[in-house]
Amino acid sequence: MIQTIQLFGLPFVDATPSHWYTHIKTILHNNEKAFLVTANPELVLRSLRDPAYKHILQQATFITPDGIGVTAASKRMGKPLTATLPGIETARELLRTADALKKRVFLLGGRPEVMKSLIQQLSIRFPDIQFVGTFHGFGKEEEAAKAIRSAEAHLILVALGAPKQEEWIASVYDQVDRGLFIGVGGAFDVWSGHSKRAPKVFRKLKLEWLYRISSHPRGLEKLKDLLLFASLVLRKKSHL
C-alpha cells in the first residue's frame, strides 16, 4: 500500500523509489487503471492559483514529488517526504515494464519532428512495445481523445506540459476501462534527443532544477516561480 502526505492541499506519495516503482509496475502488469501526476513547485503553484486545476489534481490516483523543491518544502513544513520521485524516472520504469510485458502504449505531445525522432528511438530501445497511438501536441488533442477509446492502451504518456496534459487526461479518463495515464512534461524532448537531461553531476547534487532553468527559454519566469514557491513555504512554516 502506498502512503501519502498532505501538502498544499494535495496528497503526495510518500515512498522509497523502489517501493514506488514496484507498486506502479504491478498496476501496469495487472492492466489496472490509474492517473499519475508528477508535481514540481511550478505545478503546485498553478494548483494554488487555479481552483479548477487543483480539483483535477485531487482526482488523480497518485501525485508524486517531482523535484527537490517539493521534498525540501515538505521537510521545512514538518511533513517530510521519504524521497523525490522524478517523473522522467517513473515514466522510464513504466516503459521498461511495458517492453518486458509487450504492452500497448499511447503517446501524445511534442512537436511533429520530436515525435518522429521519439518513435524511432523508443522502437529501438523497447522493441516489444506495441505503439497504438502516436500524436504530436499541436492541435491533435481532440483527435487523440477520439483515438484513445479504441486504442485499448495499457500505458498512456502525455507530454503537453502543465496544465494541458492533466486537463487532457482528466477529460478522457472516464472514457476508457483501463490504462495507466501519466503526464511527462518535457520527457519526449529528452528521449528523442532534441534536448538533454541535466548532466549526472547536477542530478547527484540534486540541482537538476538549476540546469533546467538555465537552459530553458523561459528560465527567468521559472526562477521567479521557484522564488515565489520558496517564499510561500517560508510563510507557511512561520505559521506552524
Side-chain angles (χ1 to χ4, degrees):
M1 182 177 178
I2 291 292
Q3 301 295 321
T4 61
I5 289 178
Q6 285 284 334
L7 293 167
F8 307 103
L10 300 172
F12 280 87
V13 168
D14 183 35
T16 64
S18 61
H19 183 195
W20 167 240
Y21 296 147
T22 298
H23 186 77
I24 58 169
K25 286 191 276 190
T26 299
I27 291 174
L28 184 58
H29 180 275
N30 294 338
N31 295 334
E32 296 173 7
K33 190 176 176 183
F35 175 9
L36 276 57
V37 171
T38 63
N40 60 17
E42 287 181 84
L43 189 145
V44 171
L45 277 178
R46 187 179 292 277
S47 75
L48 295 175
R49 293 167 176 159
D50 184 348
Y53 183 59
K54 185 173 187 176
H55 179 71
I56 287 175
L57 300 187
Q58 290 171 331
Q59 306 312 305
T61 314
F62 301 107
I63 301 176
T64 61
D66 182 10
I68 189 63
V70 175
T71 49
S74 73
K75 294 175 183 177
R76 181 77 180 177
M77 295 166 67
K79 299 179 179 180
L81 291 163
T82 300
T84 300
L85 302 170
I88 195 168
E89 299 293 350
T90 295
R92 185 179 287 115
E93 288 294 327
L94 288 169
L95 284 170
R96 287 170 179 159
T97 302
D99 184 58
L101 299 175
K102 300 182 178 180
K103 293 292 187 179
R104 298 165 64 87
V105 175
F106 190 101
L107 306 173
L108 168 62
R111 303 185 304 277
E113 64 273 21
V114 168
M115 292 303 289
K116 182 178 179 180
S117 300
L118 177 69
I119 295 304
Q120 291 174 345
Q121 293 295 326
L122 293 185
S123 296
I124 293 171
R125 190 167 183 180
F126 306 108
D128 288 325
I129 284 179
Q130 302 175 62
F131 291 102
V132 294
T134 56
F135 295 83
H136 64 71
F138 285 71
K140 291 290 185 178
E141 292 94 330
E142 186 174 337
E143 187 177 339
K146 293 178 181 178
I148 193 68
R149 291 191 288 270
S150 58
E152 297 184 351
H154 304 106
L155 175 62
I156 302 91
L157 305 182
V158 185
L160 297 174
K164 282 188 175 182
Q165 58 193 22
E166 290 79 28
E167 291 171 346
W168 185 85
I169 292 172
S171 72
V172 302
Y173 190 70
D174 290 336
Q175 299 177 25
V176 297
D177 296 324
R178 66 181 179 188
L180 201 163
F181 291 76
I182 178 172
V184 295
F188 287 3
D189 289 326
V190 175
W191 294 336
S192 66
H194 281 74
S195 67
K196 294 182 179 179
R197 193 178 179 189
K200 188 175 292 185
V201 64
F202 279 81
R203 301 202 300 269
K204 189 173 182 179
L205 294 173
K206 301 194 182 300
L207 292 174
E208 191 168 4
W209 60 273
L210 180 60
Y211 179 86
R212 288 201 302 267
I213 286 176
S214 65
S215 60
H216 197 281
R218 294 190 296 107
L220 182 58
E221 181 182 338
K222 288 178 173 291
L223 179 58
K224 288 179 179 178
D225 274 347
L226 281 176
L227 292 174
L228 179 58
F229 179 77
S231 174
L232 176 65
V233 171
L234 290 173
R235 289 202 303 271
K236 283 183 174 291
K237 172 67 176 178
S238 68
H239 288 88
L240 291 178

